[in-house]
Amino acid sequence: MKKILVPTAFSENALKAALFAAEIAKRSNAAVFFLNAMELGFEGIHETFPLHEKYNKAVLQNREQEMEVFMQAIREAYKGIHTETEIDSAEAETAILDFSKLHDIDLIVMGTRGAGIIKEKLVGTTAANVITASKVPVLVIPMNYQVEKPDGILFTTKHFEKDNHILSMIILLARLFAATVHVVQFIDTDDISDELYLENAGKLEDYLFFLSASYTDVVFRGEIVQGDEFDEAVENYHSVHQTDIAAMITYPRGFWESFFNKSVTRKMVFHSDMPVLAIPAA
């Protein structure tokens, strides 16, 4: 990994995401790009208007000052990493995706903000939109997360992916932090049968053999979890085994959109105290 992008609004949660990204960069010798992207307040006014120009100039100066303060904290904690900054007046989602493509970013690390009683609607936030559209992995850091060394990655899979390109970010993080990869397959109790369980147990065993043979320096363990709700089953596994990152593969052509809109996935991405790594399948 060579380049990490951290979108930031200079909040406390953005700092958590920045510190997580900086730790990854320190261990992988990657550069970290910090991007502040928010539309300027008078951007809808196109005609010459002195107040418009004056306001936008003041907003830009304020952001530059905030960026400098923000970066001082990062540089003090991680003096050895290479960092670059940019301020963009475009809409956040567009700026993040465009920057990622233009600079060949390998990983986007971003935080989510709490929304009180409207948490269900977080599916429409910038983080959700970036996850849906991004061509590179996105690591989402929740507000309540306490930054620590991740020594367990919970990889939930349905398709037993064997493509090295898809698995590479999970493997890289496992290597960087000497983390065990917990391969978990969920089976809904409404669909479970002895035949289905044995079939999936066999597939999981074969998959673990493939992973262990392909990535000999990484420790893998696997388990089938059952329950009425995916997020609850995964959270229970996380609580028992104290994993630190939940990794999911995202699929195009409507699969992810329909999956993402389910309350189960909203809870995993936005309501969990565990970071979620979303990896695009294509």
Side-chain angles (χ1 to χ4, degrees):
M1 179 162 55
K2 297 181 179 180
K3 299 177 181 178
I4 302 172
L5 173 60
V6 181
T8 179
F10 315 121
S11 64
E12 179 182 350
N13 198 52
L15 181 60
K16 289 183 181 181
L19 292 173
F20 204 117
E23 184 63 33
I24 295 174
K26 175 185 175 182
R27 293 169 182 263
S28 63
N29 198 32
V32 187
F33 296 80
F34 294 90
L35 172 67
N36 174 255
M38 295 173 62
E39 288 182 318
L40 297 178
F42 283 87
E43 200 147 296
I45 303 176
H46 300 288
E47 58 272 8
T48 301
F49 190 35
L51 180 58
H52 169 211
E53 296 177 2
K54 183 177 181 180
Y55 177 85
N56 283 348
K57 183 177 180 180
V59 170
L60 180 60
Q61 290 176 340
N62 183 61
R63 288 190 199 168
E64 290 172 344
Q65 293 172 357
E66 288 186 289
M67 179 69 84
E68 182 56 34
V69 172
F70 187 82
M71 291 307 301
Q72 285 178 0
I74 302 300
R75 290 169 182 146
E76 288 176 5
Y78 292 91
K79 296 180 181 179
I81 67 171
H82 176 77
T83 62
E84 295 187 27
T85 63
E86 182 164 326
I87 297 174
D88 196 319
S89 61
E91 185 271 333
E93 177 191 344
T94 300
I96 293 167
L97 294 172
D98 287 349
F99 189 97
S100 175
K101 182 178 180 180
L102 179 64
H103 295 274
D104 294 321
I105 295 298
D106 300 297
L107 174 67
I108 300 171
V109 182
M110 58 194 306
T112 58
R113 295 174 294 179
I117 62 174
I118 58 170
K119 284 184 178 179
E120 314 72 63
K121 298 182 180 180
L122 281 172
V123 71
T125 64
T126 298
N129 294 334
V130 170
I131 286 172
T132 302
S134 178
K135 300 299 182 182
V136 302
V138 181
L139 180 60
V140 180
I141 310 299
M143 173 169 283
N144 295 329
Y145 176 67
Q146 298 302 314
V147 179
E148 59 182 351
K149 176 181 176 293
D151 54 18
I153 299 174
L154 198 170
F155 172 34
T156 59
T157 180
K158 181 178 181 181
H159 301 288
F160 303 106
E161 295 83 359
K162 294 184 178 181
D163 187 328
N164 182 65
H165 178 71
I166 294 175
L167 297 172
S168 60
M169 188 57 63
I170 296 173
I171 301 303
L172 175 61
L173 293 177
R175 287 170 172 164
L176 291 178
F177 296 101
T180 297
V181 178
H182 299 248
V183 183
V184 172
Q185 186 186 36
F186 171 74
I187 299 181
D188 195 312
T189 50
D190 291 337
D191 301 325
I192 193 65
S193 65
D194 290 342
E195 182 180 355
L196 179 62
Y197 186 90
L198 290 174
E199 178 185 350
N200 283 276
K203 290 181 179 179
L204 181 58
E205 183 178 359
D206 290 342
Y207 191 49
L208 289 172
F209 179 83
F210 162 79
L211 292 172
S212 298
S214 301
Y215 311 103
T216 57
D217 56 337
V218 177
V219 176
F220 297 92
R221 60 182 302 174
E223 186 169 325
I224 293 176
V225 298
Q226 305 175 45
D228 297 324
E229 298 290 342
F230 172 83
D231 63 305
E232 291 180 3
V234 171
E235 286 288 354
N236 288 338
Y237 185 95
H238 159 63
S239 297
V240 172
H241 297 280
Q242 294 298 296
T243 52
D244 302 286
I245 297 174
M248 299 178 175
I249 310 300
T250 65
Y251 286 86
R253 298 175 185 173
F255 177 91
W256 175 245
E257 288 80 4
S258 61
F259 187 52
F260 190 82
N261 283 327
K262 295 180 180 179
S263 60
V264 50
T265 313
R266 290 204 302 268
K267 291 177 183 177
M268 280 302 301
V269 176
F270 294 110
H271 297 192
S272 174
D273 291 338
M274 180 171 45
V276 175
L277 175 66
I279 304 171

